[in-house]
């Protein structure tokens, strides 16, 4: 029995047949989200646009092998993530700061070396507003790529641990460790934005 | 007040030190990982938090960090692709053999 025809399968059939309008519509529908993802991953506009173009090129070449088990936008998202990761591996690495100084420290008996203060709720709410997004993104961009990419894949793109591990060709345990360290380091970087004055 | 005064005076009395709790934080807050935590560890985690304000603050600020990083990208999607990028992709599609 044939699978039921849905708007998605109709679009896929038209794209596969080389229908120009269907292809353009797919690019219009999925392109903006893909560009947003590439900007997050690569933190560079030129690289991001290149990645989106390369991802569409790979996708259209691979269309005959696309089995339709995933939705077309999901499949494109995966291709884009892989394209971005390839770009990150090949582009000249930015000098990476050590993450160690951003992690919490402990004294011998297991106490924190320095106690942690709470963040005022009103200040957190204010920093979550769109006008402060650039500050938060700048802090994320300060993370070494090794950690920044895991944070983007897991916390922003919402890949599972297993999906992130597969995309990065690392173990799931390594994803968990890197994610935790990335969040801890980012917490340290955000602290001065939330609490400009040290509480005494 | 000396920051050290906020600490649990005996960090190991409940089984977890601040270090153990903070090092394993992600396991306890990630829905995907949480089911694998045994009840003794869960109890040790909760007991420690009940006695250590500094770790409660660490947990809360860690969660705020995740919340803020998500919020920072919420409005970042462009309404459409830049026209030159759209045109470049169209050229690629036309050139793709079928």
């Amino acid at each position: 029995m044939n699978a039921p025809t849905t708007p998605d399968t109709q679009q896929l059939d038209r794209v596969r047949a080389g229908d120009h309008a269907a292809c353009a519509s797919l690019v219009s529908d999925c392109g903006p989200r893909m560009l947003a993802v590439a900007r997050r991953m690569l933190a560079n506009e030129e690289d991001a646009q290149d990645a989106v173009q390369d991802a569409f090129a790979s996708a259209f070449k691979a269309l005959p092998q696309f089995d339709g088990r995933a939705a077309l936008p999901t499949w494109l998202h995966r291709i884009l993530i892989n394209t971005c990761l390839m770009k990150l591996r090949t582009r000249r690495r930015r000098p990476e700061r050590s993450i160690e100084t951003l992690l919490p420290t402990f004294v011998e008996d297991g106490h924190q070396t320095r106690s942690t203060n709470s963040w005022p709720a009103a200040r957190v709410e204010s920093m979550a507003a769109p006008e402060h997004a650039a500050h938060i993104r700048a802090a994320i961009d300060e993370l070494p790529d090794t950690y920044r990419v895991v944070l983007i894949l897991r916390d922003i793109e919402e890949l599972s641990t297993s999906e992130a591990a597969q995309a990065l060709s690392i173990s799931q345990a390594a994803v968990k460790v890197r994610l935790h360290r990335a969040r801890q380091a980012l917490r340290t970087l955000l602290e001065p934005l939330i609490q400009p004055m040290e509480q005494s | 007040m000396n920051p050290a005064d906020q600490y649990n005076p005996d960090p190991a009395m409940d089984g977890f030190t601040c270090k153990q709790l903070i090092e394993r934080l992600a396991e306890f807050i990630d829905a995907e990982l949480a089911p694998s935590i045994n009840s003794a560890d869960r109890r040790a985690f909760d007991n420690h938090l009940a006695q250590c304000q500094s770790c409660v603050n660490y947990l809360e600020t860690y969660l705020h960090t995740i919340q803020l990083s998500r919020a920072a990208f919420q409005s970042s999607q462009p309404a459409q692709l830049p026209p030159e990028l759209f045109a470049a992709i169209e050229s690629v599609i036309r050139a793709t053999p079928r």
Side-chain angles (χ1 to χ4, degrees):
Chain A
M1 190 166 70
N2 290 332
T5 304
T6 65
D8 279 352
T9 57
Q10 284 173 6
Q11 184 187 31
L12 178 59
D13 289 343
R14 289 174 59 208
V15 169
R16 275 187 165 141
D19 179 326
H20 180 75
C23 294
S25 163
L26 180 68
V27 175
S28 295
D29 291 348
C30 299
R33 178 171 177 249
M34 289 171 71
L35 182 57
V37 172
R39 284 173 175 162
R40 293 198 277 267
M41 294 275 297
L42 298 168
N44 173 293
E45 183 62 23
E46 194 183 341
D47 286 352
Q49 293 201 19
D50 281 353
V52 172
Q53 188 178 333
D54 291 351
F56 271 114
S58 302
F60 279 98
K61 266 185 214 147
L63 262 178
Q65 285 83 49
F66 176 56
D67 59 14
R69 272 187 295 183
L72 204 45
T74 308
W75 182 66
L76 286 170
H77 184 249
R78 276 190 215 139
I79 291 176
L80 177 69
I81 295 280
N82 287 330
T83 308
C84 290
L85 290 173
M86 218 150 31
K87 272 211 177 299
L88 281 172
R89 286 185 201 114
T90 53
R91 83 180 178 189
R92 189 196 290 184
R93 282 182 178 275
R94 297 181 299 179
E96 290 195 345
R97 71 184 285 181
S98 164
I99 204 169
E100 296 302 323
T101 55
L102 300 173
L103 300 178
T105 54
F106 304 91
V107 293
E108 205 170 319
D109 68 0
H111 279 123
Q112 296 179 58
T113 306
R114 195 177 139 266
S115 69
T116 303
N117 292 316
S118 63
W119 291 352
R123 187 74 187 137
V124 173
E125 197 177 325
S126 155
M127 288 304 291
E131 60 266 31
H132 291 297
H135 294 117
I136 310 288
R137 291 202 295 263
I140 293 172
D141 286 347
E142 278 191 56
L143 297 174
D145 273 352
T146 311
Y147 296 94
R148 188 182 62 82
V149 166
V150 174
L151 182 120
I152 297 282
L153 292 180
R154 287 283 288 113
D155 282 348
I156 314 297
E157 299 307 324
E158 299 185 337
L159 266 62
S160 68
T161 301
S162 139
E163 288 167 336
Q166 194 177 8
L168 292 163
S169 303
I170 59 176
S171 68
Q172 293 191 38
V175 169
K176 290 174 195 169
V177 170
R178 287 187 197 181
L179 175 63
H180 186 43
R181 287 162 72 91
R183 287 168 173 170
Q184 289 180 299
L186 181 60
R187 199 203 73 81
T188 304
L189 291 168
L190 293 182
E191 196 152 46
L193 300 177
I194 310 283
Q195 290 182 322
M197 303 281 287
E198 182 75 16
Q199 288 179 4
S200 56
Chain B
M1 183 168 73
N2 184 323
D5 293 343
Q6 297 176 28
Y7 292 157
N8 171 3
D10 180 1
M13 66 186 287
D14 49 28
F16 266 6
T17 62
C18 300
K19 184 170 191 280
Q20 288 169 324
L21 182 134
I22 288 174
E23 283 179 349
R24 294 188 59 190
L25 208 50
E27 286 177 60
F28 285 86
I29 62 151
D30 278 346
E32 188 187 336
L33 309 176
S36 63
I37 294 169
N38 66 45
S39 56
D41 280 354
R42 169 60 68 184
R43 213 166 31 247
F45 180 85
D46 291 341
N47 286 346
H48 185 91
L49 285 179
Q51 300 170 73
C52 182
Q53 188 57 45
S54 186
C55 281
V56 170
N57 292 343
Y58 196 91
L59 168 62
E60 284 178 359
T61 54
Y62 184 95
L63 294 172
H64 287 321
T65 299
I66 299 169
Q67 173 201 345
L68 287 172
S69 55
R70 287 186 178 142
F73 290 110
Q74 251 171 15
S75 56
S76 63
Q77 182 170 316
Q80 56 187 27
L81 290 178
E84 61 280 7
L85 176 59
F86 189 89
I89 296 168
E90 278 196 309
S91 308
V92 167
I93 295 169
R94 283 204 187 92
T96 306
R98 306 209 179 257

